[in-house]
Amino acid sequence: DEIALRLALTAAISDEVLDRIELAEYLLSMLNRKSQHQYVEKFRMTGPMEDIDEVLDWLAQRFGCKGDDAHDSAARKMLKYYRLGELGKFCLD
């Protein structure tokens, strides 16, 4: 449910309650929908991306995340940067 995703983005709900990759996908869609493309520069991408798997592959490679949980680790990093305000600040409504 969207309310739970929004709460989880702010860390009001633990990441352990929701699927972290689903949460990163929701964040990516919010960033793109609101034209908040600071993630492109922050993560040294060539441009905005729509596909969460491509984003997580990119981040996993950039941050050296390996193994079966590489996407989960990359999603954790993405969420961390968002929560620190490094991917832009905007209202979730």
Side-chain angles (χ1 to χ4, degrees):
D1 136 276
E2 191 165 353
I3 293 172
L5 289 170
R6 288 179 183 185
L7 288 170
L9 279 181
T10 66
I13 295 177
S14 169
D15 290 353
E16 305 304 319
V17 175
L18 298 172
D19 180 78
R20 202 176 336 268
I21 293 171
E22 181 183 347
L23 187 55
E25 182 173 33
Y26 180 73
L27 173 58
L28 179 64
S29 73
M30 291 289 288
L31 292 170
N32 286 333
R33 188 174 21 196
K34 294 181 179 282
S35 296
Q36 296 285 325
H37 298 128
Q38 289 92 328
Y39 72 91
V40 173
E41 183 177 332
K42 181 70 181 174
F43 299 136
R44 300 182 187 142
M45 298 173 161
T46 57
M49 296 183 174
E50 298 289 328
D51 185 298
I52 191 62
D53 288 323
E54 289 179 19
V55 170
L56 295 178
D57 284 342
W58 179 273
L59 294 178
Q61 182 178 13
R62 186 171 182 303
F63 292 117
C65 305
K66 299 185 188 298
D68 293 338
D69 66 341
H71 274 197
D72 188 67
S73 296
R76 184 187 318 260
K77 295 268 191 193
M78 183 177 180
L79 294 168
K80 175 186 168 190
Y81 279 104
Y82 168 72
R83 291 173 180 152
L84 291 172
E86 296 185 25
L87 303 183
K89 296 179 182 180
F90 57 91
C91 180
L92 293 174
D93 284 335

